[in-house]
Structure formats: structure tokens, C-alpha cells
Amino acid sequence: MKSIKMYKKPGGKVVCVLAMLAVLQLGCQSGEDKNKDTTASSESTQAEDNTGFSRVQGGDTTGMVWISGGTFLMGADEFPDSRPLHKVTVDGFYMDAHEVTNEQFAEFVQATGYKTVAERPLNPADYPGVPVEKLVPGSAVFTSTSQPVSLDNPLQWWEYVAGANWAMPEGKGSSWKGREKYPVVHVSYEDAAAYAKWAGKRLPTEAEWEFAAQGGKGNRTYYWGEELKPGNQWVANIYQGSFPDKNTTEDGFAKAAPIKSFPANPYGLYDMDGNVWEWCFDLYRPDTYMNSAAKNPTGPTDSYDPDEPGVVKRVQRGGSFLCSDSYCVRYKAGSRGKGEVTSGSDNLGFRCVMDRK
């Protein structure tokens, strides 16, 4: 693997030229209706609260599932930033049955001309001291190591690939074509929020996301139950084998899997565990649950990560194809991820929600 050179951006954000832009969170970390109205616009039904959150309703619910809402036990004792376990009530909402796909995101790009963060030129003024030739658009791509390595340095298996973005997931020469039903990746929070607004939807709060992931079955070890392999079958796309050098692909996939490759949960939602991380609306703080609202929480008003003070991060949920019991266990129920808001990687996507009119 290429050597990694680290630079500091003003404000404290770590920038890794030929590596990644703050993607080291966690230290791990039916067909669509082509005739739907793609000009739908969001309709805010209430003023923004003090976190900037507002509800969105009245759009096209094709491909979405209605979640009735209710009261549930949120969090997990296993993870410090998921404590304490606490009761939360959420109102009902629609949620995309699966992660937003490449073909769905392509419709958005074609309709709007949108450029994702990973496609935009980098401003040299934002990266003093970094050679201009290194400032090329790109994103982080997981690359297996050739042999077992210490797990204390994620830069050994992450590579900043010039040209990598949602349309070219592995960089120049690769393409989303032929992967229409795969989840779109290399999307930042900004990109996900822009898509959601265009689609007349919004990103889920992490309380909504966790309630939906539980599928009405309550707080368990895994969202699907208590056994890692129920019936000796893999029911989510996670990592098997020796991380990060040897993925045995027992579940059938070395990286992201097409949507609906694994069983849906009781609500009819796919890939709420593994496959790709999913952005949530909430700003990230490790102490959020100490003061979380009991009804419809929308997260704190500011972001703080002791690992990178000064870097604005949002919550990510669900884990990815890189999670395993030997390394990143954050696909487990109640666990939380975090990501710098302008960064993406090839194990990061999203899904949307909408409120009932």
C-alpha cells in the first residue's frame, strides 16, 4: 500500500492526501417506479426546532414502508456512547424499504446536475502546506492488506483514491453501470441531505432509525435476534474471516451487496444491519443519551467527538460490510457510528424517511 501523508486543515479536521477525509469513524467502521414524479418538493409542516430539524410530508411514498411509531428501549450497554438505555417514543413515519440505489441517485444527478463532495475540486486555501498536485477529488476505498496487521492503524486498509466517487466507486475505470441495484456509496451527509430534499423526503433521526431497525421485536443483541447466524445462515452483509487481510465471503459478498440480498426485517426493511453505513440527521455527541428527549428526539444542538474536537460529525447507523466480531462490532443493535459531514467512503450510503400528511 502507498505510504500515507497526513495534513491538518484549519479548524482541526484531519486531511489524509492519498488516504481519506475523516472516514475512520468507529475505528472500523422491488424495482423503482420509473414513472414517479421526480419534481416532488418537500413541504415543511412545522418550523425548524433548535437542532434545525423539520418534518417533511406529502410526497411520493413509492418504495417506502409505513412504520407506525411507538415507545421502545433505545441504546446498548455494550457501547459507552450508546448509554444509558432509555425509553423513547417516536411518531409514525414512512421509511425507504432499502438503501438509496445507484440508479435512484443517478436520476437525481440527471435531473439536477448535482456534484457530490467527492467530485468537487479541492480549494488549496483550505489545505495549506499540501502540494497542489495532491489536491485531487476522490474518496476513501477499502483495500485488503496482504497479511495480518495490527488493528490500531486503519490507514493500513483505507486508501484515498483519486477519482473515486458515487459514479466511479473504485476510481477511474470503474462505473456504477451494471450496479444499478447496489446502494449508492461515497456520499457525504451534504450529498444525502440534498438527495432527500430533491425527493421530497428527509434523513431519519437516529431514534427513528433504531426504532425501525428493531422491527417491533424490542432491544436485542442483533437487530435480527440473539444469534449471530440464526439457522446457521448469514442474514446480513458483514465481514467474515481475518480482518483486514482475508475475507472468506461466507455471506456471498466481499463488499456491498445489491439491495434485497438478505431477508427483510418484520417491518419489511432491508439491510438495517451491515452492507453500508447510513447517515442520520442527528449531530454526534458521545453523551447524547444522557440528556435525550423522551419523545421524537432530534439530537443535540452541537457536535463533539473527543477523538477529533472541532470536527462536525453526524450520526451513522447500521454498520457495513467491514464490521465483524473481531474488529468493528457496530452492526450490533443500539450501537452508533459517526462521520465528518463532508466525507464519504465505499461503505457509506443512506436511506430516507417521510412524515404522513
Side-chain angles (χ1 to χ4, degrees):
M1 178 178 288
K2 295 180 180 179
S3 61
I4 305 299
K5 189 169 185 179
M6 304 286 291
Y7 301 90
K8 282 283 188 178
K9 182 178 179 179
K13 181 167 69 175
V14 175
V15 177
C16 316
V17 177
L18 295 180
M20 79 226 66
L21 303 180
V23 299
L24 302 182
Q25 67 273 16
L26 312 180
C28 351
Q29 124 150 251
S30 68
E32 299 305 310
D33 180 2
K34 297 298 183 180
N35 297 315
K36 72 177 181 179
D37 180 9
T38 58
T39 62
S41 61
S42 62
E43 176 187 353
S44 176
T45 62
Q46 63 182 43
E48 290 184 352
D49 67 15
N50 60 0
T51 68
F53 174 86
S54 61
R55 296 193 176 277
V56 176
Q57 64 177 188
D60 184 358
T61 59
T62 301
M64 304 187 83
V65 173
W66 172 250
I67 311 295
S68 294
T71 300
F72 71 110
L73 194 62
M74 183 174 181
D77 280 333
E78 184 174 351
F79 306 98
D81 63 351
S82 297
R83 303 173 189 153
L85 286 167
H86 58 292
K87 285 187 177 180
V88 173
T89 299
V90 294
D91 293 336
F93 55 95
Y94 290 97
M95 176 173 265
D96 289 342
H98 54 74
E99 297 141 335
V100 172
T101 63
N102 283 317
E103 64 181 354
Q104 289 175 309
F105 200 79
E107 289 178 5
F108 161 60
V109 170
Q110 183 175 13
T112 64
Y114 183 85
K115 292 290 186 182
T116 61
V117 172
E119 298 173 276
R120 301 173 196 169
L122 302 180
N123 183 357
D126 290 336
Y127 305 94
V130 181
V132 174
E133 65 272 17
K134 301 294 187 183
L135 294 176
V136 293
S139 189
V141 176
F142 171 77
T143 304
S144 296
T145 59
S146 60
Q147 59 188 10
V149 296
S150 170
L151 300 181
D152 60 359
N153 180 14
L155 296 184
Q156 295 174 102
W157 54 86
W158 282 109
E159 182 178 5
Y160 184 85
V161 176
N165 56 56
W166 79 271
M168 298 185 294
E170 288 84 40
K172 294 179 180 179
S174 63
S175 174
W176 69 274
K177 297 294 181 66
R179 295 186 243 188
E180 288 81 0
K181 299 296 184 182
Y182 283 68
V184 66
V185 292
H186 295 299
V187 285
S188 69
Y189 177 86
E190 179 181 332
D191 303 329
Y195 173 94
K197 183 176 181 180
W198 169 81
K201 303 177 183 182
R202 60 177 174 83
L203 296 178
T205 65
E206 68 166 323
E208 290 171 332
W209 196 99
E210 186 170 332
F211 180 81
Q214 287 187 7
K217 297 297 184 180
N219 192 289
R220 301 183 291 179
T221 301
Y222 307 100
Y223 287 119
W224 61 79
E226 297 297 338
E227 297 181 63
L228 177 61
K229 291 178 64 179
N232 204 35
Q233 298 293 318
W234 291 105
V235 293
N237 182 15
I238 57 177
Y239 194 100
Q240 298 92 39
S242 171
F243 185 90
D245 60 297
K246 185 179 181 181
N247 187 344
T248 62
T249 67
E250 290 178 24
D251 59 14
F253 301 97
K255 287 198 171 186
I259 58 168
K260 301 186 178 181
S261 294
F262 295 87
N265 79 358
Y267 286 154
L269 302 170
Y270 294 85
D271 291 318
M272 298 300 283
D273 308 89
N275 213 23
V276 297
W277 285 99
E278 299 181 15
W279 285 109
C280 290
F281 169 81
D282 307 45
L283 289 163
Y284 175 82
R285 290 187 62 95
D287 57 357
T288 293
Y289 293 174
M290 299 296 294
N291 303 292
S292 183
K295 184 172 183 181
N296 296 323
T298 57
T301 58
D302 65 338
S303 168
Y304 174 70
D305 179 4
D307 294 331
E308 289 187 285
V311 178
V312 177
K313 295 187 178 183
R314 297 271 180 173
V315 173
Q316 299 167 350
R317 282 301 198 114
S320 79
F321 59 80
L322 294 181
C323 288
S324 73
D325 283 345
S326 66
Y327 183 50
C328 167
V329 297
R330 297 272 181 155
Y331 63 93
K332 285 188 172 182
S335 60
R336 310 170 71 211
K338 57 190 175 182
E340 192 273 328
V341 294
T342 64
S343 298
S345 59
D346 67 346
N347 69 334
L348 176 58
F350 69 105
R351 77 179 73 208
C352 302
V353 298
M354 184 192 301
D355 303 283
R356 174 172 281 180
K357 190 170 184 178

